[in-house]
């Protein structure tokens, strides 16, 4: 599986089915990812791609759409005529309504022709870029239409959101599992495909100097920020039902938290890693009353504001959003992992739309050194920080104290940075490339297993239930600001503050960086 060479993986070959091929995700992420994989030889020689949706498209029209999407969104441009032609030849479009099983029987015939033409041994990967309500029907019709009768493997890749709450996620899971085994289901959380999220394991487990300090004796708190400048764009109808809690916290935020908090797995096998992540999710302190939710969670919604000098409208004025919506566009919480390693260490998480910058960062704040004669009376020492920059900048920096050159013992913070994206630039593979490649080779490490999802929903559901009771605690923030004041209060109560992202507070810090900053 994961330890096969690239040649072995690509030699097997597969047909990739993109359900929802005329949709936004396919256009912005999936086609560009497939083209990059092709350009890097990661699809091998034996592959075909079938786009599926209801609207009629000729093969030519479809290839034109794909060309435009790649031109706009892919890190490789389709300017190399020969490469584009060879790739486009492997792309076909099949118009089909998910609800109609006969369409799947026709698809079977088309697929068998493609498999014969390109010598593909019956391996089939079904990517569902569809509304989740359709996942169960597709699974059933794939089976009933004979699409699972080939000799090779069959894998189902599904997009988020996986359910609306624990019961609905459970029903959805059952529907899918009537047809596919758990090891055939690849549930996407695209944050797990991000380079720096995957790097957390390496940073933690391949360095002698982090792991011994990685516990409540040395870490004061952990801060995870996922800030976006965008509003809800054209997704008001979806977002208004989902809100930040379901859109970002239940999945991306909790996944990052588990990577930070998990115990080292005994082997780097997908199941061992996922077992450790589940243990973290199960150790998260739940919310047993609505009061507890109010104490530890802040929800906010953006109002009119300004970004980069331009006015922006409030959430309630966005398209498809009701004028009295109580949906949160901002979420912050103080979470605890109640286990031996992390007892007493707050994990602060925050995410929101219409914040001042686009940035995802994880800050590990270490406890201060004990007061000592040398420094304490004279100056306030800053805590050591380890900062993992996930997105859009990728890298890591550590902040520590050093002597300012001169005669006295003045201490100044120094930041040593490794900026990965500055080095690799646009050639960093996109999350979707990695995830499609991993699904193609059957490596489920960076996909969410059902028990992870279930545990995440079980944490999130009581928060949603408390919010349903009353919207009194909904706070507001002007678009372009760092969320409501209450989110700062969460940390101030504990004697901390949110470290500014992107090193923005670092005027007094000396930077040593591979970017030459
Ligand atoms: N867009 C994004 O950035 C992200 C999307 N996602 C998830 O990905 C999934 C797809 O999202 P997105 O691309 O934005 O959605 P869109 O609404 O843009 O696309 C939906 C696709 O489904 C097809 N479709 C709808 N009904 C049927 C049917 N009965 N039979 C066959 N095809 C059908 C549509 O094509 P047609 O009308 O031609 O049938 C279209 O291609 C969703 O689960 C979403 O939550 C997750 C993260 C980010
Ligand atoms: O899943 C989602 O993620 C995006 C943010 O992803 P990023 O990779 O750009 O940080 C978010 O905008 C969207 O609402 C959500 O559905």
């Amino acid at each position: 599986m994961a330890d096969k060479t690239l040649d072995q993986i690509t030699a097997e070959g597969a047909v990739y089915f993109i359900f929802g091929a005329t949709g936004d995700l396919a256009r912005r992420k999936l086609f560009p990812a497939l083209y990059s994989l092709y350009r890097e030889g990661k699809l091998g020689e034996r592959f075909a791609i079938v786009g599926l949706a209801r609207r009629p498209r000729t093969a030519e029209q479809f290839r034109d759409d794909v060309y435009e999407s790649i031109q706009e969104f892919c890190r490789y441009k389709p300017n190399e005529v020969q490469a584009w032609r060879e790739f486009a030849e492997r792309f076909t479009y099949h118009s089909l309504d998910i609800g109609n099983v006969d369409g799947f029987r026709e698809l079977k015939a088309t697929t068998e022709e493609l498999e014969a033409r390109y010598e593909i041994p019956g391996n089939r990967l079904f990517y569902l870029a569809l509304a989740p309500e359709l996942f169960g029907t597709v699974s059933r019709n794939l089976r009933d239409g004979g699409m699972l009768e080939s000799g090779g493997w069959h894998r189902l890749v599904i997009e988020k959101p996986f359910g609306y709450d624990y019961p609905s996620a459970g029903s959805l899971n059952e529907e899918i599992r009537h047809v596919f085994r758990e090891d055939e289901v690849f549930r996407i959380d695209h944050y797990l495909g991000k380079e720096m999220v995957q790097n957390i394991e390496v940073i933690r487990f391949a360095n002698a100097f982090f792991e011994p300090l990685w516990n409540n004796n040395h870490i004061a708190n952990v801060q995870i920020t996922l800030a976006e400048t965008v509003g809800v764009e054209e997704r008001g109808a979806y977002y208004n039902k989902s809100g930040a809690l379901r859109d970002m916290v239940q999945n991306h935020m909790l996944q990052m938290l588990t990577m930070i908090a998990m115990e080292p797995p005994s082997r780097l096998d997908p199941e061992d890693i996922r077992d450790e992540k589940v243990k973290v999710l199960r150790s998260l302190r739940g919310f047993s009353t609505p009061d507890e939710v109010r104490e530890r969670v802040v929800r906010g919604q953006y109002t009119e504001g300004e970004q980069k000098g331009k006015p922006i409208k409030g959430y309630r004025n966005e398209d498809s959003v009701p004028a009295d919506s109580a949906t949160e566009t901002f979420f912050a919480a103080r979470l605890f992992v109640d286990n031996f390693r992390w007892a007493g260490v707050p994990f602060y998480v925050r995410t929101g739309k219409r914040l001042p910058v686009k940035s995802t960062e994880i800050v590990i704040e270490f406890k201060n050194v004990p007061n000592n004669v040398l420094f304490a009376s004279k100056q306030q020492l800053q805590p050591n920080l380890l900062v993992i920059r996930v997105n859009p900048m990728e890298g890591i920096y550590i902040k520590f104290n050093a002597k300012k050159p001169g005669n006295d013992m003045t201490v100044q913070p120094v930041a040593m940075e490794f900026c990965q994206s500055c080095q690799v630039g646009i050639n960093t593979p996109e999350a979707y490339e990695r995830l499609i490649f991993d699904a193609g080779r059957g490596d489920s490490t960076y996909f969410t297993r059902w028990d992870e999802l279930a545990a995440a929903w079980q944490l999130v559901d009581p928060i949603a239930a408390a919010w349903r009771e009353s919207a009194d605690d909904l706070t507001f923030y002007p678009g372009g600001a760092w969320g409501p004041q209450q989110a700062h209060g969460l940390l101030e109560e504990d004697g901390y503050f949110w470290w500014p992202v992107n090193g923005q507070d670092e005027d007094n810090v000396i930077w040593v960086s591979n970017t030459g900053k």
Side-chain angles (χ1 to χ4, degrees):
M1 276 210 319
D3 51 1
K4 283 185 182 171
T5 64
L6 182 58
D7 282 348
Q8 286 168 321
I9 297 156
T10 55
E12 284 179 2
V15 183
Y16 296 77
F17 298 87
I18 308 293
F19 287 89
T22 53
D24 179 68
L25 186 72
R27 189 175 71 88
R28 287 192 307 112
K29 298 290 181 187
L30 306 184
F31 300 147
L34 285 163
Y35 189 60
S36 296
L37 289 174
Y38 167 71
R39 288 292 300 270
E40 292 181 357
K42 291 179 178 164
L43 296 180
E45 296 295 319
R46 299 151 138 206
F47 77 96
I49 300 167
V50 184
L52 299 132
R54 284 169 305 185
R55 70 196 76 167
R57 281 273 189 285
T58 63
E60 272 320 300
Q61 283 170 328
F62 181 58
R63 285 174 193 151
D64 287 348
D65 295 344
V66 173
Y67 183 90
E68 275 168 33
S69 111
I70 291 170
Q71 185 69 36
E72 190 172 354
F73 297 107
C74 188
R75 62 199 176 88
Y76 293 99
K77 299 298 166 205
N79 305 337
E80 260 201 35
V81 177
Q82 186 62 16
W84 164 252
R85 274 209 198 119
E86 282 167 14
F87 179 73
E89 217 172 75
R90 304 297 179 101
F91 249 93
T92 45
Y93 180 80
H94 191 97
S95 170
L96 152 154
D97 188 329
I98 298 299
N100 176 11
V101 69
D102 291 337
F104 288 78
R105 295 197 181 103
E106 287 163 23
L107 178 63
K108 184 179 181 220
T110 308
T111 306
E112 285 167 356
E113 273 170 38
L114 289 170
E115 287 171 342
R117 190 182 318 155
Y118 299 115
E119 298 177 0
I120 300 168
N123 295 332
R124 297 176 182 176
L125 184 145
F126 307 105
Y127 196 119
L128 308 190
L130 293 166
E133 300 83 78
L134 297 172
F135 294 171
T137 315
V138 184
S139 306
R140 267 195 316 279
N141 282 344
L142 281 170
R143 180 194 58 202
D144 298 346
M147 285 295 292
L148 306 183
E149 287 162 12
S150 63
W153 50 251
H154 304 117
R155 294 181 188 140
L156 189 72
V157 181
I158 27 189
E159 266 299 336
K160 66 172 265 272
F162 196 92
Y164 179 77
D165 52 16
Y166 177 54
S168 61
S171 313
L172 182 55
N173 196 49
E174 257 178 52
E175 277 192 88
I176 290 167
R177 293 290 310 281
H178 272 132
V179 180
F180 290 93
R181 297 190 311 265
E182 175 65 30
D183 66 314
E184 294 174 321
V185 181
F186 292 73
R187 299 178 193 84
I188 292 254
D189 181 318
H190 80 274
Y191 260 72
L192 289 178
K194 289 194 189 278
E195 183 63 44
M196 289 309 293
V197 173
Q198 299 190 354
N199 209 343
I200 293 172
E201 274 176 314
V202 179
I203 291 164
R204 284 190 56 194
F205 304 135
N207 290 299
F209 50 69
F210 292 130
E211 199 50 29
L213 305 181
W214 211 258
N215 56 54
N216 56 3
N217 291 324
H218 300 283
I219 292 179
N221 69 78
V222 176
Q223 303 181 11
I224 305 178
T225 297
L226 199 170
E228 294 191 278
T229 49
V230 291
V232 293
E233 315 301 298
E234 297 85 36
R235 297 168 73 212
Y238 152 77
Y239 193 87
N240 198 53
K241 283 195 219 135
S242 151
L245 179 66
R246 295 183 175 87
D247 189 45
M248 299 293 241
V249 179
Q250 186 272 343
N251 35 70
H252 311 322
M253 301 297 282
L254 289 181
Q255 285 294 334
M256 285 191 280
L257 187 152
T258 58
M259 300 287 279
I260 292 292
M262 71 188 224
E263 295 299 317
S266 47
R267 288 168 306 175
L268 275 185
D269 267 11
E271 297 318 322
D272 292 297
I273 294 172
R274 299 196 298 181
D275 285 347
E276 293 306 334
K277 288 167 67 195
V278 171
K279 285 185 205 159
V280 174
L281 289 163
R282 291 196 181 134
S283 308
L284 279 167
R285 189 181 302 170
F287 296 88
S288 40
T289 63
D291 282 346
E292 219 178 307
V293 172
R294 290 197 174 94
E295 273 164 33
R296 293 203 277 132
V297 179
V298 173
R299 58 170 158 164
Q301 189 186 79
Y302 62 82
T303 55
E304 277 175 13
E306 205 182 274
Q307 249 170 357
K308 293 191 178 158
K310 287 197 185 139
I312 43 181
K313 56 185 171 185
Y315 177 70
R316 290 175 178 183
N317 294 323
E318 299 277 13
D319 291 343
S320 319
V321 172
D324 59 351
S325 168
T327 296
E328 76 291 351
T329 58
F330 179 93
F331 175 100
R334 184 197 296 120
L335 301 176
F336 291 97
V337 180
D338 285 334
N339 64 15
F340 209 77
R341 185 189 283 263
W342 293 111
V345 178
F347 283 70
Y348 302 109
V349 298
R350 65 175 165 172
T351 180
K353 298 220 183 263
R354 290 289 187 217
L355 300 186
V357 291
K358 167 81 180 156
S359 180
T360 301
E361 280 192 8
I362 303 170
V363 178
I364 315 294
E365 177 176 333
F366 290 87
K367 289 186 173 168
N368 273 328
V369 290
N371 277 354
N372 65 51
V373 182
L374 193 52
F375 311 115
S377 57
K378 295 193 194 143
Q379 48 194 310
Q380 184 72 39
L381 295 184
Q382 290 210 21
N384 294 158
L385 302 183
L386 165 67
V387 181
I388 300 169
R389 294 179 146 175
V390 174
N391 186 35
M393 293 291 286
E394 293 176 354
I396 175 169
Y397 72 84
I398 46 176
K399 201 170 98 173
F400 56 97
N401 294 308
K403 180 177 171 296
K404 194 169 184 173
N407 289 340
D408 60 7
M409 275 304 231
T410 306
V411 177
Q412 70 182 3
V414 178
M416 284 177 70
E417 180 190 40
F418 168 62
C419 173
Q420 177 158 284
S421 44
C422 304
Q423 286 210 323
V424 189
I426 60 150
N427 283 324
T428 304
E430 284 249 4
Y432 278 92
E433 287 173 35
R434 273 203 202 88
L435 294 174
I436 294 174
F437 179 65
D438 281 354
R441 63 176 168 158
D443 182 349
S444 52
T445 310
Y446 295 111
F447 294 84
T448 324
R449 204 168 63 186
W450 164 244
D451 50 356
E452 288 178 73
L453 259 168
W457 278 122
Q458 282 162 341
L459 180 86
V460 155
D461 280 358
I463 303 176
W467 287 352
R468 272 195 302 276
E469 273 187 16
S470 148
D472 289 354
D473 61 328
L474 179 67
T475 56
F476 296 90
Y477 60 100
W482 270 111
Q485 182 49 38
Q486 287 81 344
H488 298 280
L490 267 183
L491 279 74
E492 283 159 14
E493 286 166 21
D494 301 339
Y496 303 123
F497 58 87
W498 291 105
W499 288 97
V501 297
N502 292 352
Q504 280 176 349
D505 74 322
E506 309 292 13
D507 289 349
N508 299 318
V509 177
I510 305 295
W511 281 86
V512 183
S513 161
N514 64 334
T515 62
K517 183 158 73 176

